[in-house]
Amino acid sequence: MTITTQEAAAARALQALEDSRSSVRLRAALTVGSTPDPRFVDKLVERCAIEPEFFVRDMLTWALTRHPVSRTLPRLLQAVRSPHAQARSQALHTLSKIGDRQAWPAITRALLTDADDEVARSAWRAAVLLVPEDAESALAVVLATQLGRGDRETQSSLSRALVALGEVMVPAVRAATAGAEPLVRAHAIATERLLRDPDTGFGFAIEEAKRVVALGPTGQAGQ
């Protein structure tokens, strides 16, 4: 197969990314990733912002990781500032897969506290992978402000991010264990437990922490 033929096949695949069938879009993303070309990056990023199927989005991310960072990084940094939540979330997810720490300045407090849970979760995952060592404590402080947020999946994601920072997260999380909000206190206690005992599942840790908060320091409910 000649280069010209490969390029033609990839160009057809780019068009197929808009097919109504998810299986066709999945194959198209695989084809584009298998034949990287910097000219395809814009289309891949644009498709990430609107693709409804998770497994297709994941293949689009893989395709982007196959392209030069010098081309993908500027485009993804634009996408994290998009007004559309999926565009921000998927760009952050892709940045975490690329793993280039040049992206760290783009992981802002606004993204880490984004009102959309999926965006915030993606930001947390990207942040703990990209953060420089001298910024870890500050990151832990921001992440700790999100304790108690969202459903169990969101809380578990935050705990995993904080635990990934290691001991540096302890002061911020421990401070939250003394807060007035029971959900925040329980989440903080569970997160500390996970740091000390990584084999403990989040479900068990959070339920145990809720009991501790409910019983209070005297061991009596309501205290």
Side-chain angles (χ1 to χ4, degrees):
M1 178 178 290
T2 66
I3 296 298
T4 300
T5 303
Q6 290 178 338
E7 290 180 346
R12 289 193 297 271
L14 285 177
Q15 293 181 328
L17 288 175
E18 300 181 7
D19 194 279
S20 61
R21 295 161 294 179
S22 60
S23 60
V24 173
R25 300 196 303 275
L26 182 67
R27 289 195 300 272
L30 176 61
T31 298
V32 174
S34 299
T35 314
D37 186 315
R39 294 173 296 177
F40 302 153
V41 169
D42 285 350
K43 181 66 174 181
L44 289 169
V45 174
E46 290 168 7
R47 187 65 207 177
C48 282
I50 59 174
E51 170 56 50
E53 297 292 341
F54 168 80
F55 57 90
V56 180
R57 292 198 302 272
D58 222 33
M59 188 63 78
L60 290 167
T61 283
W62 171 80
L64 282 165
T65 66
R66 298 269 296 159
H67 287 77
V69 173
S70 61
R71 182 69 182 87
T72 57
L73 190 60
R75 188 63 183 83
L76 291 167
L77 295 181
Q78 290 176 358
V80 300
R81 299 190 294 271
S82 169
H84 304 293
Q86 183 173 307
R88 298 195 301 277
S89 174
Q90 198 63 25
L92 287 162
H93 174 66
T94 306
L95 287 172
S96 73
K97 293 298 183 181
I98 291 172
D100 192 306
R101 288 191 169 180
Q102 292 181 82
W104 165 246
I107 313 300
T108 61
R109 186 185 186 99
L111 288 171
L112 294 168
T113 61
D114 197 285
D116 185 278
D117 284 345
E118 188 55 43
V119 174
R121 287 196 296 266
S122 296
W124 301 338
R125 290 191 294 268
V128 298
L129 288 169
L130 302 176
V131 61
E133 186 174 346
D134 61 0
E136 288 179 345
S137 293
L139 174 59
V141 170
V142 176
L143 293 181
T145 67
Q146 302 302 290
L147 287 164
R149 168 182 175 164
D151 59 15
R152 182 161 294 191
E153 180 183 358
T154 298
Q155 292 182 9
S156 178
S157 293
L158 180 60
S159 289
R160 289 196 298 271
L162 283 162
V163 168
L165 292 174
E167 292 291 333
V168 73
M169 69 86 160
V170 171
V173 173
R174 186 158 295 166
T177 66
E181 173 54 53
L183 286 176
V184 173
R185 291 165 58 199
H187 194 185
I189 292 169
T191 301
E192 271 206 288
R193 170 71 181 272
L194 290 169
L195 178 66
R196 305 302 176 204
D197 184 4
D199 292 331
T200 300
F202 181 77
F204 177 84
I206 193 65
E207 292 304 322
E208 184 67 20
K210 286 178 179 177
R211 284 192 289 271
V212 170
V213 171
L215 290 172
T218 66
Q220 298 179 0
Q223 298 297 314

